[in-house]
C-alpha cells in the first residue's frame, strides 16, 4: 500500500500538478504589436488558474509598463530585440521571453507611375514616393539610371527598412 501511495504521488507530479505552464518559453511578435501585461496570455490553460492576481514584470532594462502594456522608453511599442519577463504567480516566478522582430516591408502610401525631371537633376525618391515603416525607410534604384541626357526610362525603386524588408515599385522617368 505504501508503494502505491508513492507511485500515485509521482504520477501527480509528472502530470502537471506542479503548477501552471507557459504556452512557450519565447513568444515572437511583430514590431508594433501591443505587448500586454496580462499573465493569462502566456499561460497554457490559463482558465484553470487565478491569473487575475498575477503580475507580469519586465526584467530587461529600457522596458516600461504603462497601464497594461509594455513599451520601450519614449516609444509607443517595444523596439526590435529580445526581452526577458517574469510572471509572479503567488509564491512562484515563471520566466519567459518576448522576441520582437520586424518581418514586414514598408507600406507604400503613394507612388507615382511616372515623373518628369530636368536633365542632370538627381532624384530624391522620398519626395515622390511616400512610404512608412516603424524601422524607417530608405530608397535605392535597382537599375542604372542616368539623367544626363533627355529621354525616358523605367526605373525600379526599392523601398527598404533597416532590417532588409523591402518592396519595389516601377516608375517611368521622363528626362527633359
Amino acid at each position: 500500500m505504501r508503494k502505491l501511495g508513492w507511485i500515485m504521488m509521482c504520477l501527480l507530479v509528472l502530470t502537471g500538478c506542479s503548477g501552471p505552464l507557459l504556452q512557450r518559453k519565447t513568444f515572437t511578435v511583430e514590431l508594433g504589436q501591443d505587448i500586454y501585461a496580462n499573465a493569462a496570455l502566456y499561460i497554457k490553460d490559463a482558465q484553470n488558474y487565478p491569473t487575475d492576481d498575477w503580475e507580469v514584470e519586465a526584467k530587461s532594462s529600457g522596458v516600461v509598463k504603462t497601464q497594461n502594456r509594455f513599451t520601450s522608453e519614449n516609444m509607443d511599442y517595444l523596439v526590435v530585440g529580445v526581452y526577458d519577463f517574469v510572471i509572479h504567480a503567488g509564491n512562484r516566478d515563471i520566466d519567459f521571453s518576448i522576441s520582437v522582430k520586424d518581418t514586414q516591408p514598408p507600406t507604400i502610401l503613394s507612388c507615382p507611375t511616372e515623373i518628369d525631371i530636368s536633365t542632370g537633376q538627381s532624384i530624391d525618391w522620398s519626395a515622390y514616393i511616400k512610404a512608412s515603416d516603424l524601422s524607417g525607410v530608405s530608397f535605392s534604384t535597382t537599375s542604372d539610371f542616368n539623367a544626363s541626357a533627355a529621354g525616358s526610362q523605367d526605373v525600379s525603386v526599392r523601398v527598404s527598412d533597416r532590417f532588409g524588408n523591402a518592396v519595389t515599385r516601377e516608375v517611368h522617368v521622363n528626362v527633359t
Side-chain angles (χ1 to χ4, degrees):
M1 191 64 158
R2 192 170 175 197
K3 188 175 183 179
L4 181 62
W6 183 81
I7 291 171
M8 291 299 289
M9 184 170 58
C10 287
L11 285 173
L12 285 173
V13 169
L14 291 173
T15 58
C17 291
S18 61
L21 299 174
L22 290 169
Q23 293 179 27
R24 57 182 99 34
K25 186 70 173 158
T26 300
F27 296 83
T28 302
V29 299
E30 182 66 28
L31 176 65
Q33 278 187 310
D34 287 336
I35 298 173
Y36 293 103
N38 180 351
L41 296 173
Y42 310 105
I43 299 295
K44 187 183 292 185
D45 300 322
Q47 70 276 8
N48 297 327
Y49 300 99
T51 58
D52 289 344
D53 296 336
W54 295 359
E55 181 183 348
V56 180
E57 177 186 351
K59 292 170 56 176
S60 297
S61 62
V63 178
V64 295
K65 183 176 171 183
T66 305
Q67 295 174 339
N68 195 39
R69 288 180 52 237
F70 291 106
T71 62
S72 295
E73 291 176 351
N74 303 316
M75 302 295 278
D76 290 334
Y77 50 88
L78 271 179
V79 298
V80 171
V82 178
Y83 302 92
D84 294 321
F85 292 86
V86 62
I87 297 172
H88 299 292
N91 61 354
R92 182 173 179 201
D93 287 345
I94 306 167
D95 294 321
F96 68 100
S97 299
I98 295 179
S99 175
V100 179
K101 295 184 175 188
D102 183 353
T103 64
Q104 299 298 310
T107 300
I108 303 297
L109 305 170
S110 66
C111 179
T113 56
E114 186 172 5
I115 62 172
D116 298 319
I117 64 168
S118 301
T119 304
Q121 178 182 344
S122 63
I123 300 175
D124 175 7
W125 290 107
S126 66
Y128 295 97
I129 301 174
K130 302 301 177 205
S132 69
D133 191 282
L134 292 175
S135 298
V137 296
S138 62
F139 300 89
S140 61
T141 57
T142 56
S143 58
D144 291 331
F145 173 72
N146 186 348
S148 62
S152 295
Q153 184 177 353
D154 290 325
V155 178
S156 294
V157 181
R158 181 179 165 96
V159 184
S160 309
D161 67 21
R162 68 187 185 122
F163 294 102
N165 305 302
V167 62
T168 302
R169 293 292 188 262
E170 297 295 321
V171 179
H172 186 77
V173 180
N174 297 309
V175 181
T176 56

